[in-house]
Amino acid sequence: MNAPTTTELPVVVVGAGPIGLATAVHLAERGITPLVLEAGASAGAAVREWSHVRLFSTWGEVTDPAAEKLLAPTGWTRPDASTYPSGGDWAEQYLQPLADALGERVRFGATVTGVSRTGRDRVVDADRETQPLVVHFTTAEGREERVFARAVIDASGTWATPSPAGGSGLPALGERAASDRITYRVPDLKDPAVRARYAGKRTAVIGSGASAFTALAYLADLAKSDDGAGTKGVWILRRGISGSTFGGGEADQLPARGALGLAAKAAIDEGHADAVTGFRTEAIERADDSRLVLLGEDGRRLDAVDEVIVLTGFRPDLSFLSELRLGLDERLQAPVELAPLIDPNQHSCGTVYPHGHRELSHPEQGVYLVGMKSYGRAPTFLAMTGYEQARSVAAAIAGDLASADRVELTLPETGVCGGAGLFDAPDAQEADGGGCCAPAPQLVQLSAPATVSAAAEQAPAGSCCGS
């Protein structure tokens, strides 16, 4: 069978999450046929796995204007723009209706297994750019299929590939063997079975971002409940405690994001969790009573814990893109033009410069990574960033470079300055003033004023991806 070469082929979008669906809408709006391939059985399959977690972005910040335009004739009711949805709300009240509105242009149960240039592996130059892209996928029934495409936009995210506990980026010794007591997700403590797993137990939380803040706040709430007596968190940080450890607080331009950090601080200050700083996990051993003991690279051996929650970020799965010529930063695994703008060694202020198709393109013409996946291992992605990426990329594919290049996006700042590289210095107190916008962080005393406790009680929990 000869592959077609017409430019009328569809654009394949990998993933029916918020950015993938928005991309499909922008393509359709420009008269380009999208085909969304989603491994899950419904829209927002990954989002549904953290349905219990509330976003720290409002409804007004997590819906795409073009998508709202498509939804309007269907009778869809726009949620109150000032309120905070949970992951479940986002999936049920926005993503699924959007997928329904796109109809047959979204195919569920389709797991992409490979993308390449038709008849050309990544080595071959001859006649490469004239050949369409080809996407291989398996169906829910186990059949292998393929589809040809004029372009491929990977919006599959990073949810399926969480980073391990090991400080070197590899699983700690014994981490896999201890998997029965380790989770890489924020637990749903409203689920009775999950609640029983953590109630009255000592739980280590490894990580320093919004997900770790959320887990600490959840454990503190459990400790204060009637069935949670004895619940204790142990917060494991690779860095020291500095003025920016708990986020920007009231200086954060996303108020709920700032309040989330204050809730985590309250959990420490109120004694519901202890902080262990400068600890890089090297090994996890099983104690005689089957509890887990964490060992640090510096020789420290922590007291045994019953459970471990690893929230050290995510990384992109690039395995099915291995036959494409991608231009990725060697550290972040993000597009080389985008990486300097989001490098967590330098940027933690939320001050990401506007970017679009040019920063997202690759040596392989017609291939783009968008959404969380475009950020590689950088943790600061917001949904509004992805919606602007989708608009710009769709315009570029349509040949409207004037619109594609007109990227205007102002992101809310976190109120946190300095880069992760600065805070991960062996002694944060002595680190010199690097980072994106600030002098060296100052170590802080963990004692909460009354206003912190009030903020913690009112703080919505933050999502794992901030959007």
Side-chain angles (χ1 to χ4, degrees), residues 67-119:
E68 291 188 20
K69 182 179 177 182
L70 178 66
L71 285 167
T74 69
W76 177 73
T77 302
R78 188 178 190 269
D80 183 343
S82 65
T83 59
Y84 296 88
S86 67
D89 296 334
W90 202 17
E92 288 296 334
Q93 298 178 38
Y94 172 66
L95 299 179
Q96 193 60 54
L98 184 54
D100 293 342
L102 286 165
E104 294 182 353
R105 291 171 288 194
V106 181
R107 183 166 177 179
F108 296 107
T111 302
V112 174
T113 57
V115 183
S116 187
R117 186 69 65 178
T118 302

Short mmCIF file of all heavy atoms in Angstrom, two decimals, residues 67-119:
data_model
loop_
_atom_site.label_atom_id
_atom_site.label_comp_id
_atom_site.label_asym_id
_atom_site.label_seq_id
_atom_site.Cartn_x
_atom_site.Cartn_y
_atom_site.Cartn_z
N ALA A 67 -12.18 26.78 22.64
CA ALA A 67 -12.98 25.63 23.07
C ALA A 67 -14.34 26.08 23.58
O ALA A 67 -15.36 25.44 23.31
CB ALA A 67 -12.22 24.87 24.16
N GLU A 68 -14.37 27.17 24.31
CA GLU A 68 -15.65 27.70 24.80
C GLU A 68 -16.56 28.07 23.63
O GLU A 68 -17.78 27.85 23.69
CB GLU A 68 -15.41 28.92 25.69
CG GLU A 68 -14.75 28.59 27.02
CD GLU A 68 -14.71 29.79 27.95
OE1 GLU A 68 -15.51 30.72 27.73
OE2 GLU A 68 -13.90 29.79 28.89
N LYS A 69 -15.98 28.61 22.57
CA LYS A 69 -16.75 28.96 21.38
C LYS A 69 -17.37 27.73 20.74
O LYS A 69 -18.52 27.74 20.30
CB LYS A 69 -15.84 29.69 20.40
CG LYS A 69 -16.52 30.17 19.14
CD LYS A 69 -15.53 30.92 18.25
CE LYS A 69 -16.17 31.34 16.94
NZ LYS A 69 -15.19 32.04 16.04
N LEU A 70 -16.60 26.63 20.69
CA LEU A 70 -17.12 25.38 20.13
C LEU A 70 -18.22 24.80 21.01
O LEU A 70 -19.21 24.24 20.52
CB LEU A 70 -15.98 24.37 19.99
CG LEU A 70 -16.36 22.98 19.46
CD1 LEU A 70 -16.86 23.06 18.02
CD2 LEU A 70 -15.19 22.02 19.56
N LEU A 71 -18.08 24.94 22.32
CA LEU A 71 -19.03 24.36 23.26
C LEU A 71 -20.34 25.14 23.35
O LEU A 71 -21.38 24.57 23.68
CB LEU A 71 -18.39 24.27 24.65
CG LEU A 71 -17.36 23.17 24.85
CD1 LEU A 71 -16.60 23.39 26.16
CD2 LEU A 71 -18.02 21.80 24.84
N ALA A 72 -20.30 26.43 23.07
CA ALA A 72 -21.47 27.29 23.29
C ALA A 72 -22.75 26.76 22.63
O ALA A 72 -23.80 26.71 23.29
CB ALA A 72 -21.15 28.70 22.82
N PRO A 73 -22.72 26.34 21.37
CA PRO A 73 -23.97 25.87 20.74
C PRO A 73 -24.50 24.56 21.30
O PRO A 73 -25.64 24.17 21.01
CB PRO A 73 -23.57 25.69 19.26
CG PRO A 73 -22.30 26.44 19.09
CD PRO A 73 -21.61 26.37 20.41
N THR A 74 -23.70 23.85 22.09
CA THR A 74 -24.12 22.55 22.61
C THR A 74 -24.95 22.67 23.88
O THR A 74 -25.42 21.66 24.41
CB THR A 74 -22.88 21.67 22.92
OG1 THR A 74 -22.18 22.21 24.05
CG2 THR A 74 -21.95 21.60 21.73
N GLY A 75 -25.10 23.89 24.39
CA GLY A 75 -25.83 24.08 25.64
C GLY A 75 -24.95 24.00 26.86
O GLY A 75 -25.43 24.00 28.00
N TRP A 76 -23.65 23.96 26.63
CA TRP A 76 -22.69 23.90 27.74
C TRP A 76 -22.78 25.15 28.59
O TRP A 76 -22.87 26.27 28.08
CB TRP A 76 -21.28 23.75 27.17
CG TRP A 76 -20.17 23.73 28.18
CD1 TRP A 76 -19.85 22.74 29.03
CD2 TRP A 76 -19.21 24.78 28.41
NE1 TRP A 76 -18.75 23.07 29.79
CE2 TRP A 76 -18.34 24.32 29.43
CE3 TRP A 76 -19.00 26.05 27.86
CZ2 TRP A 76 -17.29 25.10 29.90
CZ3 TRP A 76 -17.95 26.82 28.34
CH2 TRP A 76 -17.10 26.34 29.34
N THR A 77 -22.76 24.97 29.89
CA THR A 77 -22.80 26.09 30.82
C THR A 77 -21.40 26.34 31.37
O THR A 77 -20.81 25.45 31.98
CB THR A 77 -23.77 25.82 31.98
OG1 THR A 77 -25.08 25.58 31.46
CG2 THR A 77 -23.81 27.00 32.94
N ARG A 78 -20.91 27.52 31.18
CA ARG A 78 -19.57 27.86 31.66
C ARG A 78 -19.57 27.98 33.18
O ARG A 78 -20.37 28.73 33.75
CB ARG A 78 -19.13 29.19 31.04
CG ARG A 78 -17.68 29.57 31.31
CD ARG A 78 -17.37 30.87 30.59
NE ARG A 78 -15.94 31.19 30.60
CZ ARG A 78 -15.35 31.92 31.53
NH1 ARG A 78 -16.06 32.38 32.55
NH2 ARG A 78 -14.06 32.18 31.46
N PRO A 79 -18.70 27.25 33.86
CA PRO A 79 -18.63 27.36 35.32
C PRO A 79 -18.21 28.76 35.75
O PRO A 79 -17.61 29.52 34.97
CB PRO A 79 -17.57 26.33 35.70
CG PRO A 79 -17.51 25.37 34.56
CD PRO A 79 -17.78 26.21 33.35
N ASP A 80 -18.51 29.10 36.98
CA ASP A 80 -18.13 30.38 37.54
C ASP A 80 -16.62 30.56 37.40
O ASP A 80 -15.83 29.79 37.97
CB ASP A 80 -18.54 30.44 39.01
CG ASP A 80 -18.25 31.79 39.67
OD1 ASP A 80 -17.47 32.58 39.12
OD2 ASP A 80 -18.81 32.03 40.76
N ALA A 81 -16.21 31.58 36.66
CA ALA A 81 -14.80 31.77 36.33
C ALA A 81 -13.93 32.01 37.55
O ALA A 81 -12.71 31.80 37.50
CB ALA A 81 -14.64 32.93 35.35
N SER A 82 -14.50 32.42 38.67
CA SER A 82 -13.70 32.76 39.84
C SER A 82 -13.52 31.60 40.81
O SER A 82 -12.81 31.73 41.81
CB SER A 82 -14.35 33.93 40.59
OG SER A 82 -15.62 33.57 41.12
N THR A 83 -14.15 30.46 40.54
CA THR A 83 -14.08 29.33 41.46
C THR A 83 -13.00 28.35 41.02
O THR A 83 -12.53 28.37 39.88
CB THR A 83 -15.43 28.61 41.54
OG1 THR A 83 -15.80 28.13 40.23
CG2 THR A 83 -16.51 29.55 42.05
N TYR A 84 -12.63 27.45 41.94
CA TYR A 84 -11.54 26.51 41.72
C TYR A 84 -12.09 25.10 41.48
O TYR A 84 -12.70 24.52 42.38
CB TYR A 84 -10.59 26.49 42.92
CG TYR A 84 -9.88 27.79 43.17
CD1 TYR A 84 -10.45 28.78 43.96
CD2 TYR A 84 -8.64 28.04 42.59
CE1 TYR A 84 -9.79 29.99 44.18
CE2 TYR A 84 -7.98 29.24 42.81
CZ TYR A 84 -8.56 30.21 43.60
OH TYR A 84 -7.92 31.41 43.82
N PRO A 85 -11.88 24.53 40.31
CA PRO A 85 -12.35 23.17 40.06
C PRO A 85 -11.40 22.12 40.65
O PRO A 85 -10.20 22.38 40.82
CB PRO A 85 -12.37 23.07 38.54
CG PRO A 85 -11.24 23.98 38.12
CD PRO A 85 -11.24 25.12 39.11
N SER A 86 -11.93 20.96 40.93
CA SER A 86 -11.08 19.80 41.20
C SER A 86 -10.71 19.18 39.87
O SER A 86 -11.26 19.53 38.81
CB SER A 86 -11.83 18.78 42.06
OG SER A 86 -12.91 18.23 41.32
N GLY A 87 -9.79 18.22 39.90
CA GLY A 87 -9.47 17.52 38.66
C GLY A 87 -10.70 16.84 38.08
O GLY A 87 -10.91 16.84 36.86
N GLY A 88 -11.53 16.27 38.96
CA GLY A 88 -12.75 15.62 38.50
C GLY A 88 -13.71 16.60 37.85
O GLY A 88 -14.35 16.29 36.84
N ASP A 89 -13.84 17.79 38.45
CA ASP A 89 -14.70 18.83 37.87
C ASP A 89 -14.20 19.20 36.47
O ASP A 89 -14.98 19.34 35.53
CB ASP A 89 -14.68 20.09 38.74
CG ASP A 89 -15.28 19.87 40.11
OD1 ASP A 89 -16.11 18.96 40.27
OD2 ASP A 89 -14.90 20.62 41.04
N TRP A 90 -12.90 19.40 36.37
CA TRP A 90 -12.30 19.80 35.09
C TRP A 90 -12.59 18.77 34.01
O TRP A 90 -12.98 19.11 32.88
CB TRP A 90 -10.80 19.98 35.29
CG TRP A 90 -10.09 20.83 34.30
CD1 TRP A 90 -10.63 21.74 33.43
CD2 TRP A 90 -8.67 20.88 34.09
NE1 TRP A 90 -9.65 22.34 32.70
CE2 TRP A 90 -8.44 21.85 33.07
CE3 TRP A 90 -7.59 20.22 34.65
CZ2 TRP A 90 -7.16 22.15 32.61
CZ3 TRP A 90 -6.30 20.53 34.21
CH2 TRP A 90 -6.09 21.47 33.20
N ALA A 91 -12.44 17.50 34.36
CA ALA A 91 -12.67 16.42 33.39
C ALA A 91 -14.13 16.31 33.00
O ALA A 91 -14.47 16.23 31.82
CB ALA A 91 -12.15 15.10 33.94
N GLU A 92 -15.02 16.32 33.99
CA GLU A 92 -16.44 16.06 33.73
C GLU A 92 -17.18 17.26 33.15
O GLU A 92 -18.04 17.11 32.29
CB GLU A 92 -17.13 15.61 35.02
CG GLU A 92 -16.74 14.20 35.46
CD GLU A 92 -17.18 13.15 34.46
OE1 GLU A 92 -18.17 13.37 33.71
OE2 GLU A 92 -16.53 12.09 34.40
N GLN A 93 -16.84 18.45 33.63
CA GLN A 93 -17.60 19.64 33.24
C GLN A 93 -17.01 20.39 32.05
O GLN A 93 -17.66 21.28 31.52
CB GLN A 93 -17.72 20.59 34.43
CG GLN A 93 -18.45 19.99 35.62
CD GLN A 93 -18.50 20.93 36.81
OE1 GLN A 93 -18.67 22.14 36.65
NE2 GLN A 93 -18.36 20.39 38.01
N TYR A 94 -15.81 20.03 31.65
CA TYR A 94 -15.18 20.75 30.53
C TYR A 94 -14.54 19.81 29.51
O TYR A 94 -14.88 19.84 28.33
CB TYR A 94 -14.14 21.73 31.08
CG TYR A 94 -13.30 22.40 30.02
CD1 TYR A 94 -13.86 23.28 29.10
CD2 TYR A 94 -11.92 22.15 29.94
CE1 TYR A 94 -13.08 23.90 28.12
CE2 TYR A 94 -11.13 22.76 28.97
CZ TYR A 94 -11.71 23.63 28.06
OH TYR A 94 -10.95 24.23 27.10
N LEU A 95 -13.64 18.93 29.94
CA LEU A 95 -12.90 18.12 28.99
C LEU A 95 -13.79 17.11 28.26
O LEU A 95 -13.69 16.96 27.04
CB LEU A 95 -11.73 17.41 29.70
CG LEU A 95 -10.70 18.32 30.34
CD1 LEU A 95 -9.61 17.50 31.03
CD2 LEU A 95 -10.08 19.25 29.30
N GLN A 96 -14.65 16.40 29.00
CA GLN A 96 -15.51 15.42 28.33
C GLN A 96 -16.51 16.08 27.39
O GLN A 96 -16.68 15.62 26.25
CB GLN A 96 -16.22 14.55 29.36
CG GLN A 96 -16.89 13.31 28.74
CD GLN A 96 -15.90 12.40 28.04
OE1 GLN A 96 -14.91 11.98 28.64
NE2 GLN A 96 -16.13 12.10 26.77
N PRO A 97 -17.19 17.16 27.81
CA PRO A 97 -18.06 17.85 26.84
C PRO A 97 -17.31 18.34 25.60
O PRO A 97 -17.84 18.31 24.50
CB PRO A 97 -18.62 19.03 27.66
CG PRO A 97 -18.58 18.56 29.07
CD PRO A 97 -17.33 17.73 29.17
N LEU A 98 -16.07 18.77 25.79
CA LEU A 98 -15.28 19.24 24.66
C LEU A 98 -14.96 18.09 23.71
O LEU A 98 -15.06 18.22 22.49
CB LEU A 98 -13.99 19.90 25.17
CG LEU A 98 -13.08 20.54 24.13
CD1 LEU A 98 -13.84 21.55 23.28
CD2 LEU A 98 -11.90 21.21 24.82
N ALA A 99 -14.58 16.95 24.26
CA ALA A 99 -14.33 15.77 23.43
C ALA A 99 -15.60 15.34 22.70
O ALA A 99 -15.57 14.97 21.52
CB ALA A 99 -13.79 14.62 24.28
N ASP A 100 -16.73 15.40 23.39
CA ASP A 100 -18.01 15.05 22.75
C ASP A 100 -18.32 15.98 21.59
O ASP A 100 -18.82 15.56 20.55
CB ASP A 100 -19.14 15.10 23.79
CG ASP A 100 -19.00 14.02 24.86
OD1 ASP A 100 -18.26 13.04 24.64
OD2 ASP A 100 -19.64 14.18 25.92
N ALA A 101 -18.01 17.27 21.78
CA ALA A 101 -18.27 18.24 20.72
C ALA A 101 -17.38 18.00 19.51
O ALA A 101 -17.78 18.25 18.37
CB ALA A 101 -18.06 19.66 21.26
N LEU A 102 -16.19 17.49 19.73
CA LEU A 102 -15.28 17.17 18.63
C LEU A 102 -15.69 15.88 17.92
O LEU A 102 -15.27 15.62 16.78
CB LEU A 102 -13.84 17.06 19.14
CG LEU A 102 -13.16 18.38 19.49
CD1 LEU A 102 -11.90 18.14 20.31
CD2 LEU A 102 -12.82 19.16 18.21
N GLY A 103 -16.47 15.05 18.61
CA GLY A 103 -17.04 13.86 18.01
C GLY A 103 -16.03 12.84 17.52
O GLY A 103 -15.10 12.47 18.24
N GLU A 104 -16.18 12.40 16.27
CA GLU A 104 -15.34 11.33 15.73
C GLU A 104 -13.88 11.76 15.53
O GLU A 104 -13.04 10.93 15.21
CB GLU A 104 -15.92 10.84 14.41
CG GLU A 104 -17.27 10.15 14.57
CD GLU A 104 -17.80 9.64 13.25
OE1 GLU A 104 -17.17 9.94 12.20
OE2 GLU A 104 -18.82 8.95 13.25
N ARG A 105 -13.61 13.03 15.74
CA ARG A 105 -12.23 13.49 15.61
C ARG A 105 -11.39 13.10 16.83
O ARG A 105 -10.18 13.33 16.85
CB ARG A 105 -12.22 15.01 15.41
CG ARG A 105 -12.77 15.41 14.04
CD ARG A 105 -12.96 16.90 13.90
NE ARG A 105 -14.10 17.38 14.69
CZ ARG A 105 -14.65 18.59 14.54
NH1 ARG A 105 -14.15 19.44 13.65
NH2 ARG A 105 -15.68 18.96 15.29
N VAL A 106 -12.03 12.52 17.84
CA VAL A 106 -11.33 11.99 19.02
C VAL A 106 -11.55 10.49 19.07
O VAL A 106 -12.68 10.02 19.03
CB VAL A 106 -11.84 12.64 20.32
CG1 VAL A 106 -11.07 12.09 21.52
CG2 VAL A 106 -11.72 14.15 20.27
N ARG A 107 -10.48 9.74 19.15
CA ARG A 107 -10.56 8.28 19.20
C ARG A 107 -9.95 7.80 20.52
O ARG A 107 -8.77 8.03 20.80
CB ARG A 107 -9.82 7.66 18.02
CG ARG A 107 -9.94 6.15 17.97
CD ARG A 107 -9.48 5.61 16.63
NE ARG A 107 -9.55 4.15 16.62
CZ ARG A 107 -9.23 3.41 15.57
NH1 ARG A 107 -8.82 3.98 14.44
NH2 ARG A 107 -9.31 2.08 15.63
N PHE A 108 -10.77 7.13 21.31
CA PHE A 108 -10.33 6.64 22.61
C PHE A 108 -9.80 5.21 22.51
O PHE A 108 -10.05 4.49 21.54
CB PHE A 108 -11.48 6.70 23.62
CG PHE A 108 -11.94 8.10 23.90
CD1 PHE A 108 -13.15 8.58 23.41
CD2 PHE A 108 -11.15 8.96 24.65
CE1 PHE A 108 -13.57 9.87 23.66
CE2 PHE A 108 -11.56 10.26 24.91
CZ PHE A 108 -12.77 10.72 24.41
N GLY A 109 -9.05 4.79 23.52
CA GLY A 109 -8.48 3.46 23.53
C GLY A 109 -7.43 3.26 22.47
O GLY A 109 -7.16 2.13 22.03
N ALA A 110 -6.79 4.35 22.05
CA ALA A 110 -5.77 4.30 21.00
C ALA A 110 -4.43 4.71 21.60
O ALA A 110 -4.20 5.90 21.85
CB ALA A 110 -6.14 5.21 19.84
N THR A 111 -3.56 3.75 21.84
CA THR A 111 -2.27 3.99 22.46
C THR A 111 -1.19 4.11 21.39
O THR A 111 -0.89 3.14 20.69
CB THR A 111 -1.91 2.85 23.43
OG1 THR A 111 -2.92 2.73 24.42
CG2 THR A 111 -0.57 3.11 24.09
N VAL A 112 -0.61 5.29 21.25
CA VAL A 112 0.42 5.51 20.24
C VAL A 112 1.69 4.77 20.64
O VAL A 112 2.18 4.90 21.76
CB VAL A 112 0.70 7.02 20.07
CG1 VAL A 112 1.89 7.24 19.13
CG2 VAL A 112 -0.54 7.73 19.54
N THR A 113 2.20 3.97 19.72
CA THR A 113 3.40 3.17 19.98
C THR A 113 4.61 3.63 19.19
O THR A 113 5.74 3.23 19.49
CB THR A 113 3.13 1.70 19.65
OG1 THR A 113 2.71 1.58 18.28
CG2 THR A 113 2.04 1.13 20.56
N GLY A 114 4.40 4.47 18.17
CA GLY A 114 5.53 4.94 17.39
C GLY A 114 5.12 6.01 16.40
O GLY A 114 4.00 5.99 15.88
N VAL A 115 6.04 6.94 16.15
CA VAL A 115 5.83 7.98 15.13
C VAL A 115 7.09 8.05 14.30
O VAL A 115 8.21 8.05 14.84
CB VAL A 115 5.54 9.36 15.77
CG1 VAL A 115 5.26 10.39 14.67
CG2 VAL A 115 4.39 9.28 16.76
N SER A 116 6.94 8.12 12.99
CA SER A 116 8.11 8.20 12.12
C SER A 116 7.75 8.92 10.83
O SER A 116 6.59 9.34 10.64
CB SER A 116 8.63 6.79 11.81
OG SER A 116 9.85 6.84 11.09
N ARG A 117 8.72 9.09 9.97
CA ARG A 117 8.50 9.60 8.63
C ARG A 117 8.27 8.39 7.73
O ARG A 117 9.03 7.41 7.79
CB ARG A 117 9.73 10.40 8.18
CG ARG A 117 9.59 11.11 6.87
CD ARG A 117 8.63 12.27 6.92
NE ARG A 117 9.07 13.36 7.81
CZ ARG A 117 8.39 14.49 7.96
NH1 ARG A 117 7.25 14.68 7.31
NH2 ARG A 117 8.84 15.42 8.78
N THR A 118 7.24 8.40 6.93
CA THR A 118 6.88 7.24 6.13
C THR A 118 8.05 6.77 5.26
O THR A 118 8.61 7.54 4.47
CB THR A 118 5.67 7.55 5.23
OG1 THR A 118 4.58 7.97 6.05
CG2 THR A 118 5.27 6.33 4.42
N GLY A 119 8.44 5.51 5.45
CA GLY A 119 9.50 4.92 4.66
C GLY A 119 10.89 5.42 5.00
O GLY A 119 11.85 5.10 4.29
#
